[in-house]
Amino acid sequence: VSVGIAVLLAIVATSYRQTIHAYPSGGGAYIVAKENLGTSPGLIAAAALLVDYVLTVSVSIAAGVAAITSAVQGTRYAGLNEHKVILCLIFIAFIAIANLRGVRESGALFATPTYVFVVSFLFMIAFGFFHYFTYGGAAAVPGPEELKVAEGYKLQPLTLFLLLGAFSNGCAALTGIEAISNGVQAFKKPEAQNAATTLIWMALLLTTMFLGTSVMAFLYHVHPKESETVISQFARIMFTGPLGWFYYVVQVATAAILVLAANTAFADFPRLSSLLARDRFLPRQFANRGDRLVFSNGIVILAIFSGI
């Protein structure tokens, strides 16, 4: 399933790379579908994307908070596990305010955590292989009831629908690929070339980290648990002794990047809604820019719906 998702990722990235060169002024799924297939397919794509952006914020924020509550297990801050919803709402408000302040400021704010995450995560995958083949090690297998609580699935035979469900869940890894083709104008000149290069690097990093995580979970026999994320489980196994501190680096970087991943949606939801407003498919207020030259109404609406 993981390999299948990686192949799909390559296909989608290649497709959007072509879109970047064909639509250097910015061409997301809405514009491409509307111009090549007609208005109705364009609106279907736009509606799906608007819903997807809301879910991107909700899921990314929730996953980031889960990384935090996993890291504080067994410490005096373990009580944070009981306040996940409040933490999620605080992070959504933080990102919304950062975007309302303007694109340039939010970009500078989000750059450093991204670099820290990429370096620490790639190191974790490389060290994970070394640790496994040197020392071995596996996570404790949770019981059937714990598994049921964690994922909402009961133990069942391996069927086509179960595989399709796993594939669908895993495709969450593809979220945000469209953002680059939708925002080509945000890049330095030559915009299309820089955007295409960024897209390829993003796809390569995403594939490496996604497959690396899948292999780590397989090698270390990690199972889903309600109280701790999968990444936290195998990072806790491999980073012990003198390297114990690096577990917290990984968790903090993961939490930061997941919370900031919502920024993709905060960049694209307002832009897409402004295009729809321009074409008179949404209220014209979505096309208005605020004092900081950002689409303030789209940012506020996205924050409200994802918070709900």
Side-chain angles (χ1 to χ4, degrees), residues 30-56:
Y30 167 63
I31 292 175
V32 175
K34 182 169 175 281
E35 289 191 5
N36 293 281
L37 300 174
T39 301
S40 294
L43 289 176
I44 291 171
L49 279 171
L50 290 176
V51 173
D52 181 52
Y53 290 141
V54 173
L55 292 173
T56 296

Side-chain angles (χ1 to χ4, degrees), residues 130-287:
F130 168 78
H131 183 277
Y132 178 80
F133 290 111
T134 306
Y135 306 108
V141 179
E145 284 305 310
E146 196 174 358
L147 280 174
K148 184 177 178 182
V149 170
E151 281 292 289
Y153 292 113
K154 64 180 185 295
L155 292 176
Q156 56 186 290
L158 188 62
T159 62
L160 176 62
F161 284 105
L162 194 63
L163 286 170
L164 290 174
F167 179 79
S168 175
N169 289 337
C171 282
L174 274 65
T175 303
I177 290 180
E178 197 229 12
I180 291 177
S181 71
N182 221 12
V184 177
Q185 293 303 302
F187 287 83
K188 291 182 179 179
K189 295 181 179 181
E191 293 94 339
Q193 187 58 48
N194 286 332
T197 303
T198 304
L199 182 68
I200 294 303
W201 274 106
M202 182 185 70
L204 289 172
L205 285 169
L206 184 53
T207 303
T208 302
M209 291 187 281
F210 179 74
L211 289 178
T213 304
S214 300
V215 173
M216 288 296 106
F218 175 75
L219 291 178
Y220 286 92
H221 304 296
V222 170
H223 293 266
K225 290 169 65 177
E226 184 184 24
S227 58
E228 188 172 13
T229 64
V230 167
I231 291 170
S232 173
Q233 288 183 64
F234 58 67
R236 202 183 288 274
I237 294 169
M238 65 179 72
F239 295 119
T240 56
L243 273 177
W245 60 273
F246 199 77
Y247 163 80
Y248 293 100
V249 173
V250 171
Q251 285 304 105
V252 169
T254 302
I257 202 67
L258 281 166
V259 170
L260 298 182
N263 188 56
T264 299
F266 274 99
D268 267 18
F269 182 98
R271 189 182 292 125
L272 176 57
S273 58
S274 73
L275 292 175
L276 288 165
R278 183 195 65 188
D279 294 340
R280 298 186 177 183
F281 294 117
L282 277 180
R284 59 182 176 79
Q285 284 83 355
F286 283 98

Side-chain angles (χ1 to χ4, degrees), residues 54 266 269 286 296-307:
V54 173
F266 274 99
F269 182 98
F286 283 98
S296 306
N297 293 326
I299 292 171
V300 172
I301 290 294
L302 176 60
I304 292 171
F305 275 105
S306 56

Side-chain angles (χ1 to χ4, degrees), residues 27-92:
Y30 167 63
I31 292 175
V32 175
K34 182 169 175 281
E35 289 191 5
N36 293 281
L37 300 174
T39 301
S40 294
L43 289 176
I44 291 171
L49 279 171
L50 290 176
V51 173
D52 181 52
Y53 290 141
V54 173
L55 292 173
T56 296
V57 176
S58 300
V59 173
S60 296
I61 295 290
V65 169
I68 294 170
T69 56
S70 296
V72 298
Q73 273 192 26
T75 71
R76 60 178 176 170
Y77 301 107
L80 286 175
N81 197 51
E82 306 299 320
H83 304 286
K84 288 179 178 177
V85 175
I86 294 297
L87 288 171
C88 287
L89 295 177
I90 290 171
F91 283 127
I92 289 173

